[in-house]
Amino acid sequence: MSWKGGSTRAVIQDLFGIHTHTVMLAATGMHVGKTTLSLGVFKGLEKRYGKGRVAYCKPLGQRFKNISLDDGRVVKVDPDVEVLRNYFKLNLSWEHMSPVVFPSGFTRKVIDGEIHTAELLHKIKDAFTSLATSSDFTLVEGSGHMGVGSIVNLNNAQVAGALGLDVVIIAPGGLGSSFDQLALNKSLLEKHGARLRGVIVNKVEPEKFDMVKDYYGRVLSSLWDTPLLGCIPYYEAISKPSMIGFAQLLNSNLVAGEESKHRTFESTRVVLSETDETIHDPVESQLIVTHASRSDVIESIIKNHKNMFISSKGSRDLRGGLVLVGADPPKSHQLRELDECKVPTLWVEKGHAGLGQGRTFDILKAMNQFTQKHDKDDTARLEATMEHIQRHIDLDGLCAATPVMDALQRKTINNWALGGFFKKQK
């Protein structure tokens, strides 16, 4: 399709007579919870419009997975797209849901002129058109903050302006710092002709929830006449890393307890001293990190899990986990018993984790700083996440229709802003 002037939504209305219902979910930065919000919002949209009537697109992806298509081709797809597509069983084109990703070396190729920004934007516009004209609502997810992609002259704000999207920005819990970040993102959004439809504040400390909701809502209304569309309290249960998440972080495989790979823990304990007798005390939902040579610790974990199972007549599980660090793997008979007890166990071979020198300290530091991404197979966490989100957002406000004429009357996007992207390169 040839794109010459006007936003994509305006062109769709002119050519097809279709008024598209859509919104972009963006964020002030990484780890604010944008993908988590997208899952909850998509679930709410499906309840409203019906299964198969809602589309999803992540125009720009900073990470990717290779997906093999039925025709033999392999396409690069953002992992968040895979999670959402598989969970909701969407029958949508992978290439439309994830039209542009930035693999290693991509930025240099754009700067060197090997890849043209204009062509990338055409891919995004064509993908959006296909989705928006065959669905009742299209949810668009940004990538990181509004400025992501600026170095290749194609950031989230430019995409929103070019498509004619209203944007809902997700900000971190808090007041001053959170609002400062929001203001910076809003400025870039407006520069490229897109409108801020509303704001969602995520991961708010429960004890500050009422205060943040009150003050944030009032300042948004008084300064920008913009609604607060959600105030979501921090929910620890959906924020804890799971064993499979640690496996990916540490570049290691589960050597036992595969069926418990999605288990999370209430506490983590490092066992280094050989004189600490308390290591033999059973503690529920505890992840233990120790050296792979510590057979005494391994045997204690096995014994405690078996005792819990027997004393409760099979009704309770100690729900422990084990991370073993060292050059040599644990003994095979211990792995068999750990597997029988359903204890998820990682063996982190020294020097293979890609973390500093592979020391226990480096591994613990990485684990403590780790923010886990959603796993398409962790359905319990996904469902809990979506229920939590839906309880705290204003879906009516988020779905509010935006007249296309309003978008056309906004600030014009100059050709230079995207290197003349309105003229398709041949």
Side-chain angles (χ1 to χ4, degrees):
M1 181 177 290
S2 178
W3 300 102
K4 293 184 180 180
S7 71
T8 304
R9 291 185 65 225
V11 173
I12 290 173
Q13 178 148 316
D14 288 344
L15 291 181
F16 306 113
I18 298 173
H19 183 84
T20 53
H21 295 275
T22 182
V23 72
M24 174 187 274
L25 281 184
T28 58
M30 292 180 63
H31 305 318
V32 177
K34 176 172 48 57
T35 300
T36 298
L37 264 293
S38 294
L39 286 164
V41 169
F42 195 93
K43 182 74 170 181
L45 291 171
E46 270 206 339
K47 288 180 180 178
R48 173 166 298 201
Y49 292 99
K51 192 164 183 62
R53 300 309 308 156
V54 183
Y56 169 89
C57 179
K58 189 168 184 179
L60 304 175
Q62 295 177 272
R63 302 174 298 132
F64 72 89
K65 291 186 68 173
N66 288 322
I67 301 292
S68 299
L69 305 182
D70 293 338
D71 60 9
R73 291 181 301 126
V74 176
V75 295
K76 289 179 172 56
V77 171
D78 188 284
D80 294 335
V81 172
E82 183 191 30
V83 170
L84 197 138
R85 187 182 192 272
N86 288 348
Y87 181 84
F88 290 103
K89 297 179 173 57
L90 302 180
N91 187 27
L92 300 172
S93 163
W94 286 106
E95 293 164 292
H96 289 159
M97 295 181 73
S98 185
V100 175
V101 294
F102 296 166
S104 178
F106 182 87
T107 298
R108 295 191 296 274
K109 288 182 179 179
V110 174
I111 295 172
D112 289 336
E114 297 175 38
I115 298 174
H116 300 286
T117 299
E119 295 173 357
L120 300 177
L121 186 65
H122 273 280
K123 286 182 66 176
I124 292 171
K125 287 189 166 193
D126 287 344
F128 176 80
T129 299
S130 177
L131 296 171
T133 55
S134 58
S135 62
D136 293 333
F137 197 101
T138 303
L139 179 64
V140 179
E141 181 183 343
S143 181
H145 56 77
M146 296 310 303
V148 166
S150 293
I151 194 168
V152 298
N153 210 19
L154 186 62
N155 60 41
N156 288 297
Q158 288 169 298
V159 170
L163 297 181
L165 305 178
D166 275 6
V167 179
V168 172
I169 296 182
I170 303 157
L175 280 178
S177 177
S178 173
F179 200 86
D180 292 346
Q181 295 174 53
L182 176 64
L184 288 171
N185 282 268
K186 178 177 180 286
S187 297
L188 188 59
L189 193 65
E190 292 175 341
K191 174 184 176 181
H192 294 289
R195 183 177 78 100
L196 180 64
R197 179 179 296 185
V199 175
I200 296 174
V201 185
N202 192 28
K203 299 183 182 179
V204 179
E205 294 179 29
E207 62 272 17
K208 296 181 180 179
F209 178 81
D210 292 334
M211 180 273 291
V212 170
K213 184 176 181 180
D214 175 35
Y215 280 87
Y216 223 111
R218 280 197 277 158
V219 76
L220 282 173
S221 178
S222 63
L223 292 183
W224 300 338
D225 193 26
T226 298
L228 181 64
L229 297 176
C231 189
I232 304 170
Y234 177 76
Y235 184 21
E236 188 177 23
I238 62 175
S239 302
K240 294 176 182 175
S242 67
M243 206 63 179
I244 191 64
F246 285 136
Q248 294 163 356
L249 169 72
L250 301 173
N251 192 29
S252 304
N253 295 316
L254 283 160
V255 291
E258 173 76 21
E259 64 181 282
S260 304
K261 64 183 179 181
H262 296 302
R263 179 173 293 173
T264 60
F265 307 94
E266 295 298 326
S267 64
T268 300
R269 180 174 182 180
V270 184
V271 178
L272 298 176
S273 172
E274 296 183 3
T275 60
D276 185 358
E277 291 299 319
T278 63
I279 62 171
H280 304 298
D281 298 336
V283 180
E284 289 191 58
S285 192
Q286 184 173 75
L287 176 63
I288 292 180
V289 182
T290 191
H291 197 274
S293 64
R294 292 295 301 271
S295 292
D296 58 329
V297 178
I298 298 172
E299 295 293 344
S300 179
I301 290 173
I302 293 169
K303 178 183 176 182
N304 288 335
H305 276 76
K306 286 183 176 180
N307 288 343
M308 172 70 81
F309 185 84
I310 293 170
S311 63
S312 69
K313 297 181 179 180
S315 64
R316 291 179 63 191
D317 186 345
L318 199 58
R319 292 184 56 80
L322 185 59
V323 176
L324 299 171
V325 184
D328 299 317
K331 297 179 176 63
S332 57
H333 76 275
Q334 292 175 331
L335 292 180
R336 283 195 299 272
E337 291 192 87
L338 286 167
D339 201 53
E340 290 172 5
C341 294
K342 302 178 183 179
V343 179
T345 305
L346 283 179
W347 170 45
V348 184
E349 190 174 358
K350 195 168 184 180
H352 283 212
L355 303 166
Q357 299 178 28
R359 299 169 302 181
T360 303
F361 170 79
D362 298 316
I363 290 168
L364 281 171
K365 182 179 178 182
M367 290 172 66
N368 286 331
Q369 296 175 345
F370 179 53
T371 299
Q372 182 168 328
K373 295 293 184 180
H374 290 288
D375 186 324
K376 61 185 176 62
D377 299 319
D378 194 351
T379 54
R381 183 194 294 255
L382 290 173
E383 288 167 5
T385 296
M386 291 182 286
E387 289 176 9
H388 181 64
I389 297 302
Q390 289 177 76
R391 285 196 297 268
H392 297 283
I393 61 171
D394 175 7
L395 194 64
D396 290 335
L398 193 142
C399 294
T402 306
V404 174
M405 186 59 65
D406 285 356
L408 290 173
Q409 290 172 342
R410 294 174 197 155
K411 181 178 177 181
T412 303
I413 305 173
N414 296 322
N415 278 0
W416 64 265
L418 282 169
F421 64 78
F422 291 126
K423 296 181 180 179
K424 189 172 185 179
Q425 295 186 359
K426 296 181 180 180

